[in-house]
Amino acid sequence: MSRLRLHGYWRSSASHRVRIALELKGLDYEYCAVDLRQHGGAQFSAGYRALNPQSRVPTLETPDGALIQSMAIMEWLEETYPEPPLLPPDARGRARVRALSQVLVSDVQPLQNTSVTRYLTETCRVDAAGLSAWLAEWIGRGLATLEELLGREAAGGGFCIGARPTLADICLAAQCESARRFEISLAAYPRIQRIDAACGALAAFQRAAPLRQPDAPR
Ligand SMILES: N[C@@H](CCC(=O)N[C@@H](CS)C(=O)NCC(=O)O)C(=O)O
């Protein structure tokens, strides 16, 4: 296998992150849609589980084998295709980018994930209002933290850290998309909104957008 192959779902924020990274790197890749909703979820099929035993998207098939977990995949892309860089050149800068990213990847996205929200509604019998409150609480807490952290970064440059998008901006843009999906206002987060708009102006982010994917509803 020579061409990269991304298994993802149009509305998955973790898949969205990897698509943005692939587009920013200018890499050609094949997109294989994994329908998380239909027929109990294609992520649980034996074929997909052979690639990704966690039954989640994304998975990136590479010439070296399949990779899972969006952060690990993006770090692999960064190491394998260093240009343009998605991490700052200095160790402290890289740590700051990874910290901003993990606020969203580790501490927010798992709480909005399909299998978690499905467990809440189907097993814990949480109703629609309860689920909305859950999503608003955890996404809101994460965005408020990110907004505060961005306020402590040196202003200027237009992106989370510096004048070019990094992994942190990728995670921010994907999380903003999820917030809109769950109808959570971004009004209280002006820094996040500004950076999201700067990302949205870039062609790579536009090509990676959920609604631009072949499995998005037409
Ligand atoms: N930490 C993982 C999260 C992966 C993940 O939770 N993916 C979601 C979609 S955003 C998924 O596949 N959900 C299917 C399920 O929960 O059954 C990553 O960053 O790749």
Side-chain angles (χ1 to χ4, degrees):
M1 196 221 114
S2 56
R3 196 175 176 210
L4 296 171
R5 186 181 294 146
L6 177 67
H7 298 260
Y9 180 59
W10 67 280
R11 209 163 58 171
S12 144
S13 60
S15 307
H16 189 186
R17 289 176 205 132
V18 174
R19 288 197 305 264
I20 299 169
L22 286 162
E23 295 288 351
L24 283 169
K25 295 279 184 192
L27 295 168
D28 175 45
Y29 67 98
E30 182 186 345
Y31 181 77
C32 295
V34 180
D35 192 333
L36 301 185
R37 299 261 161 185
Q38 290 302 310
H39 314 301
Q43 72 273 32
F44 300 111
S45 70
Y48 187 70
R49 279 183 49 79
L51 274 178
N52 184 337
Q54 198 185 12
S55 293
R56 292 198 182 190
V57 290
T59 300
L60 185 69
E61 286 192 82
T62 79
D64 300 334
L67 300 174
I68 68 168
Q69 288 288 343
S70 62
M71 285 304 286
I73 294 171
M74 292 192 293
E75 296 265 2
W76 179 86
L77 288 171
E78 179 71 356
E79 289 175 19
T80 310
Y81 306 97
E83 294 298 327
L86 299 178
L87 285 170
D90 59 305
R92 182 168 154 68
R94 289 195 291 275
R96 285 155 65 215
V97 164
R98 289 178 177 126
L100 295 175
S101 304
Q102 292 296 354
V103 166
L104 302 175
V105 172
S106 301
D107 299 340
V108 175
Q109 187 273 338
L111 300 171
Q112 71 184 34
N113 182 40
T114 315
S115 46
V116 171
T117 54
R118 196 174 284 158
Y119 187 85
L120 283 173
T121 54
E122 292 177 4
T123 306
C124 303
R125 301 280 167 216
V126 171
D127 62 12
L131 182 61
S132 295
W134 168 276
L135 291 167
E137 179 67 22
W138 297 111
I139 295 173
R141 283 200 204 188
L143 291 176
T145 302
L146 188 66
E147 180 75 12
E148 190 175 339
L149 288 169
L150 289 171
R152 294 181 191 191
E153 296 295 342
F159 292 94
C160 287
I161 297 195
R164 61 197 322 169
T166 65
L167 298 185
D169 301 282
I170 292 176
C171 296
L172 179 151
Q175 186 60 54
C176 286
E177 189 63 36
S178 296
R180 283 188 284 272
R181 169 187 168 195
F182 296 124
E183 298 179 352
I184 291 164
S185 169
L186 297 173
Y189 318 114
R191 296 182 189 95
I192 292 176
Q193 277 188 292
R194 262 198 307 277
I195 294 169
D196 184 43
C199 292
L202 300 178
F205 282 80
Q206 291 164 11
R207 283 192 297 270
L211 285 172
R212 293 273 297 265
Q213 306 315 305
D215 54 334
R218 301 282 150 210

